[in-house]
Amino acid sequence: WKEEFASRARLRELKLKMLELIAPCRRFALFLFDDEKSSDDASKVATSAKVENECSSQYNPTDNGALLSSKERAMGISRTVALMVLLTGDSDPDVKSKAESYLRAHMDSYRGKDAEKSEVDESSLHDALLGNSAAMAQSLLTLVIGGVASISVTNRLMSQYKLERSVDTLKLGLSVSYHVDKTMETHQKALLSCCRKKVDEFTSAKALKFVAKMLEENPKLFHLCDLQIDESDVAAVSIGSLTLSAFGDLRQPGSSGSAAVESVASLLNALCLRLTMFYDARMKQSGVETSRARIRQILAKSMVQASAVLAPMSSGHGGSSTLGSSAKTANTQLDIRDHCYGVVCTLARSTFCLDERGALYDCGNSRSFPENTNQTHFNRTLKSISTASMLLGCVA
């Protein structure tokens, strides 16, 4: 459509028709499976799996079809919700209004049903509304920072995880997946040519706000497997790393009153709240030292990012205090400041604020793994001074 120089009216018509096709409250609901049809497809898959694995002792006739059906249905729900969320940030008012109404109707579709059925817990309600929440959060954040930056973050994290389940979680996404031979340069170029560009600022703001809402309302979003396993933090680390990448990308000079920066600051605040609870629980477990180091790294970087925003604001050099600044921009700056103070306060209430050597905040150190404890008193003093300087800069 872009290469054909489609007119604004034609693009608007395309988006409105697409909303009609995907909305759960409309006739087609393109990505949602009909229960009867999905059960038939699941039985076919189960029969095929039985034929292929009839000589294998690992085949379980009760697992394959139902598992595939539930996964596909969850991904379909996530694709539907993600598209509606992105279109709520569209520049066309008609597209934006219709997307907001369809999204609101979907999110209200289970209102009151949890009261009727006491056995429906909060996490299952979120799954019914959002599908695969981890995949949707990672996909929305990927669209905010761009495909190339997302691949860089994912490749860096994949070197820290060995289990197949963890690697699959890092690769979760709602769009088309590509299998690339990393040893072939032509494959890598083809992959980069298919990467999505970053969405615009208004769409980014809507997407980030929705991910923040997901974190606030679903306390079990990061609980994808047994928490006693060291690599059970994979969803938390992945979403945290993508959030920090988005924060660093959006916080550019002159963007102090941006709606996207306010949204990503809100997301960082919600992320730190969940991660500190995860980190505090990890402190009581044994055999998860590597996991604690990974989570601590994200919290430390969050501390540095929040302090970098607060320091110029508190000193009076970061805000737009000129006469030409609008009231809306000033309110946005106040919201950004409040979110960043929320990050600092959340970290202050966590066991993160004291490391194993008793150093306050460890100066927001972002090392992947703890440093050798046999360090000199002089270095520890310098770190304490740097930490004090960073914290006092927030309230100057």
Side-chain angles (χ1 to χ4, degrees), residues 92-322:
D92 188 279
D94 292 336
V95 175
K96 177 182 177 181
S97 175
K98 181 163 286 192
E100 289 175 345
S101 63
Y102 285 162
L103 180 62
R104 190 183 309 112
H106 173 69
M107 299 304 291
D108 291 343
S109 59
Y110 279 79
R111 186 183 297 274
K113 290 187 178 183
D114 52 344
E116 298 174 4
K117 297 182 179 180
S118 57
E119 66 272 11
V120 178
D121 60 4
E122 189 176 0
S123 60
S124 62
L125 183 62
H126 285 290
D127 293 339
L129 285 172
L130 304 177
N132 193 324
S133 299
M136 182 162 63
Q138 291 181 174
S139 296
L140 290 176
L141 289 170
T142 296
L143 291 172
V144 171
I145 65 176
V148 175
S150 174
I151 290 175
S152 176
V153 172
T154 302
N155 289 340
R156 186 174 69 250
L157 293 178
M158 285 179 65
S159 63
Q160 304 178 25
Y161 293 92
K162 306 302 179 184
L163 296 179
E164 183 179 358
R165 177 185 292 181
S166 303
V167 175
D168 290 341
T169 301
L170 290 173
K171 295 179 180 179
L172 278 177
L174 304 178
S175 57
V176 178
S177 59
Y178 301 92
H179 301 280
V180 178
D181 185 356
K182 294 183 179 180
T183 61
M184 299 185 64
E185 185 178 356
T186 55
H187 283 202
Q188 294 185 9
K189 289 183 178 179
L191 174 64
L192 293 176
S193 66
C194 297
C195 288
R196 284 292 307 267
K197 295 182 179 179
K198 295 187 292 185
V199 294
D200 59 76
E201 179 182 329
F202 296 105
T203 306
S204 296
K206 293 291 185 179
L208 292 167
K209 276 289 187 183
F210 193 82
V211 177
K213 184 179 179 182
M214 290 169 57
L215 287 175
E216 291 171 356
E217 296 183 353
N218 188 3
K220 296 183 179 180
L221 178 62
F222 297 148
H223 301 176
L224 299 183
C225 55
D226 185 6
L227 296 182
Q228 300 297 325
I229 302 175
D230 184 76
E231 294 190 5
S232 61
D233 64 344
V234 58
V237 173
S238 176
I239 294 174
S241 300
L242 292 171
T243 300
L244 287 171
S245 179
F247 195 96
D249 183 59
L250 292 171
R251 194 179 66 84
Q252 300 295 333
S255 63
S256 59
S258 166
V261 175
E262 190 273 328
S263 297
V264 76
S266 172
L267 173 57
L268 187 67
N269 189 16
L271 173 74
C272 288
L273 180 62
R274 294 301 176 201
L275 280 185
T276 51
M277 296 172 64
F278 204 132
Y279 183 79
D280 293 348
R282 278 287 199 243
M283 294 298 293
K284 302 175 183 178
Q285 299 172 348
S286 58
V288 291
E289 290 78 11
T290 306
S291 175
R292 284 201 298 265
R294 285 191 292 258
I295 299 174
R296 182 177 182 81
Q297 180 187 20
I298 295 176
L299 293 176
K301 289 182 177 179
S302 301
M303 181 70 190
V304 173
Q305 293 276 25
S307 300
V309 173
L310 291 172
M313 283 189 171
S314 61
S315 62
H317 298 296
S320 299
S321 57
T322 61

Side-chain angles (χ1 to χ4, degrees), residues 34-44 69:
D34 180 69
D35 293 336
E36 182 178 352
K37 181 179 178 181
S38 62
S39 62
D40 292 340
D41 293 341
S43 62
K44 292 178 182 179
S69 176

